[in-house]
Amino acid sequence: MHNDLDLMVYPKGETVFRRGDAGDCAYLVQKGAVEIVGDYDGQEVRLSVLGEGELFGEVALIDEGPRTATVRTLEETVLVPVPRAEVRELLDKSDPVMRLFLLVVLERFRDQQHYAGPRRPHPAGETPASGEPRTSERTRMMGEATQKLALAHGLAGALSRDEFELHYQPICSLTSGDVVGFEALIRWRHPHDGLIPPQDFLWLAEQTGLIREVGIWTLERACRDWPELRAFAASSTPFISVNMSPAQLISESLAEDILKMMEKYRIHPAELKLELTETVMIEHPELASRILSRLVELGSGLALDDYGTGYSGLQHLQTYPIGTLKIDRGFITSLLQSTHSREIVQSSITLAHSLNMQVVAEGVEEDPVRKFLSKMGCDFAQGYFYGHPRPLNEYRQMPHDANG
Ligand code: C2E
Ligand code: CA
Ligand code: CA
């Protein structure tokens, strides 16, 4: 009955499955029509007729319980099977809250069917496949969804409760070792869970749209702290580097927001560097180009973050006004062990210099790596070797010449 496309063709009057059958897939009606038939006191009752584009048998997608009704074709019908294993795979990658909603809706549907008539009993000695695993899985799904909802709830109020912090990590000259600038890195000081790293909540801020407000907060806080932080750099042209999310970079008001903040805190545009990844340039090439050019017109520099992890080469990004390349930590950590990493780092430095860009190596943790990068002609470095990200207050407590 299967053809090449995995479609199933049934003649008129054929039974697709019977109430009580085991089922491990749902079906989408591509062509034709089927009737859904229930059983009341041994009497067949037509519950509904489904046509093109409609789905049936979907309860089998959540558990291995028996079919709750019988399905027969009313004419020649083409069905697309939707196997549970495939849906599972998709579900596992989906949003935990949506996953729970779907589970609840399907469970309710099965329970209603259950009240409408008893299920066919399971063979003696056989535990229903929908028993234990279903419960523990449900608990796990509940847990994931609740965790996300709680995090989203907490995150929504974190701004007004002033729970975000910026920590500043030094960026140093590879030749002199002097601090030339700082990168601002956000943390969430959660009232119960302590300091939460950005990777654990920024994805959620992006999903809920909160990322723009968080982005503005970060810019404002970095600008507010800069006049004091500046004193901890040993350069005639020190800078503060701020990470920008793609959502911020496609906001038409970004340049104006930044301009206002620079005026408010009396910051020279050249002192503010904006870090971005290539995602935004790939997803919104024209818009990004327009907004980024406006920022550069203001006098701020752009740094391409996580270089080497994306898809496009530097040539592709040449049309954007990028002044600094930040080579991703992955290549730096493996620099001494991997010829491949060395080749990538060396060719990135050479190419960047030929395009008049400066290069920052991220994640420098050891002196031999620092020395090697220096020999390769890399300009700047950032990493635990020079200093961890720290709040402004800790810099205040350090002697001015020992801020690494
Ligand atoms: P990133 O921009 O690549 O930031 C560098 C990350 O590497 C930071 O992690 C930093 O603490 C860590 N790091 C620095 N030196 C070393 C080292 O020597 N070894 C190791 N193992 N790690 C090192 P963090 O602070 O957890 O930030 C993670 C990411 O979160 C950042 O990656 C950035 O993409 C994002 N992020 C942080 N703050 C902001 C923000 O204010 N706005 C936006 N949009 N994104 C942010
Ligand atoms: Ca960064
Ligand atoms: Ca990075």
Side-chain angles (χ1 to χ4, degrees):
M1 219 177 283
H2 281 253
N3 70 11
D4 287 351
L5 284 166
D6 241 15
L7 299 176
M8 301 166 95
V9 185
Y10 289 84
K12 179 180 172 177
E14 180 111 340
T15 301
V16 181
F17 55 72
R18 276 193 188 79
R19 181 178 153 86
D21 283 355
D24 61 2
C25 73
Y27 298 90
L28 195 65
V29 182
Q30 197 187 59
K31 206 165 147 268
V34 299
E35 60 171 347
I36 314 291
V37 180
D39 179 331
Y40 291 90
D41 299 329
Q43 289 289 309
E44 281 203 343
V45 179
R46 180 189 278 183
L47 300 171
S48 62
V49 172
L50 301 179
E52 270 174 42
E54 289 186 283
L55 184 79
F56 64 89
E58 67 276 17
V59 183
L61 299 181
I62 50 157
D63 61 26
E64 289 159 37
R67 298 289 189 189
T68 55
T70 298
V71 178
R72 261 195 306 265
T73 56
L74 293 170
E75 55 192 81
E76 189 182 82
T77 298
V78 182
L79 299 177
V80 184
V82 184
R84 176 164 52 225
E86 275 172 31
V87 174
R88 279 277 141 142
E89 219 181 292
L90 291 174
L91 267 180
D92 284 345
K93 291 183 200 142
S94 75
D95 184 277
V97 180
M98 294 315 291
R99 206 153 57 211
L100 183 69
F101 282 178
L102 185 64
L103 177 82
V104 170
V105 169
L106 289 177
E107 276 181 358
R108 252 182 218 159
F109 179 72
R110 183 184 276 289
D111 288 346
Q112 270 169 15
Q113 299 294 305
H114 182 65
Y115 291 129
R119 291 188 202 180
R120 180 186 282 189
H122 285 272
E126 210 179 278
T127 41
S130 55
E132 252 329 288
R134 184 172 150 194
T135 316
S136 65
E137 197 181 340
R138 193 183 200 289
T139 311
R140 184 178 61 80
M141 284 165 92
M142 266 300 265
E144 284 173 4
T146 316
Q147 218 175 11
K148 179 172 175 184
L149 289 168
L151 194 70
H153 184 74
L155 195 59
L159 264 178
S160 58
R161 290 191 301 268
D162 202 21
E163 288 169 359
F164 292 118
E165 290 179 7
L166 284 188
H167 287 203
Y168 299 101
Q169 186 175 34
I171 298 174
C172 298
S173 156
L174 266 164
T175 41
S176 67
D178 287 343
V179 176
V180 294
F182 292 91
E183 177 175 4
L185 295 154
I186 196 168
R187 277 97 184 82
W188 176 14
R189 191 163 297 274
H190 193 279
H192 306 296
D193 301 343
L195 207 60
I196 304 183
Q199 257 115 350
D200 291 358
F201 64 88
L202 284 181
W203 63 274
L204 190 58
E206 260 153 43
Q207 279 186 9
T208 56
L210 204 69
I211 191 74
R212 283 170 188 237
E213 283 174 70
V214 174
I216 293 283
W217 179 88
T218 307
L219 268 170
E220 167 116 39
R221 179 54 55 95
C223 288
R224 195 194 82 176
D225 286 351
W226 180 238
E228 198 181 344
L229 190 65
R230 186 198 272 135
F232 298 93
S235 159
S236 53
T237 52
F239 62 87
I240 176 79
S241 222
V242 178
N243 292 282
M244 293 279 126
S245 67
Q248 270 179 289
L249 287 165
I250 54 168
S251 152
E252 296 279 0
S253 62
L254 181 66
E256 282 62 47
D257 292 341
I258 289 182
L259 194 61
K260 263 188 245 154
M261 274 183 252
M262 288 191 296
E263 282 168 358
K264 182 171 170 189
Y265 297 102
R266 298 170 179 275
I267 290 171
H268 192 273
E271 290 181 303
L272 181 67
K273 233 183 234 192
L274 304 168
E275 296 196 6
L276 51 128
T277 55
E278 67 182 67
T279 328
V280 67
M281 296 179 258
I282 289 165
E283 286 172 8
H284 306 273
E286 280 93 35
L287 188 58
S289 171
R290 193 152 45 82
I291 294 171
L292 294 177
S293 299
R294 228 189 296 160
L295 293 172
V296 172
E297 273 165 34
L298 289 182
S300 294
L302 300 181
L304 185 63
D305 209 350
D306 306 337
Y307 182 68
T309 57
Y311 300 104
S312 39
L314 202 50
Q315 273 95 345
H316 178 80
L317 303 168
Q318 250 188 80
T319 49
Y320 294 90
I322 295 161
T324 306
L325 206 65
K326 297 191 78 173
I327 301 179
D328 188 71
R329 192 172 80 219
F331 301 105
I332 307 303
T333 314
S334 55
L335 193 68
L336 301 182
Q337 294 82 39
S338 155
T339 330
H340 177 69
S341 293
R342 273 201 298 279
E343 278 168 9
I344 291 189
V345 172
Q346 185 63 73
S347 62
S348 304
I349 295 173
T350 309
L351 183 61
H353 284 169
S354 76
L355 295 169
N356 270 328
M357 294 179 187
Q358 292 186 311
V359 183
V360 179
E362 301 187 296
V364 176
E365 297 184 357
E366 305 159 341
D367 197 39
V369 174
R370 176 198 67 83
K371 286 199 179 111
F372 205 94
L373 284 163
S374 179
K375 256 196 276 168
M376 289 173 118
C378 187
D379 308 285
F380 306 112
Q382 178 180 356
Y384 298 163
F385 175 77
Y386 292 99
H388 285 254
R390 302 168 201 271
L392 176 60
N393 206 26
E394 284 186 28
Y395 285 98
R396 286 184 186 128
Q397 289 156 12
M398 274 187 231
H400 276 216
D401 57 341
N403 42 47

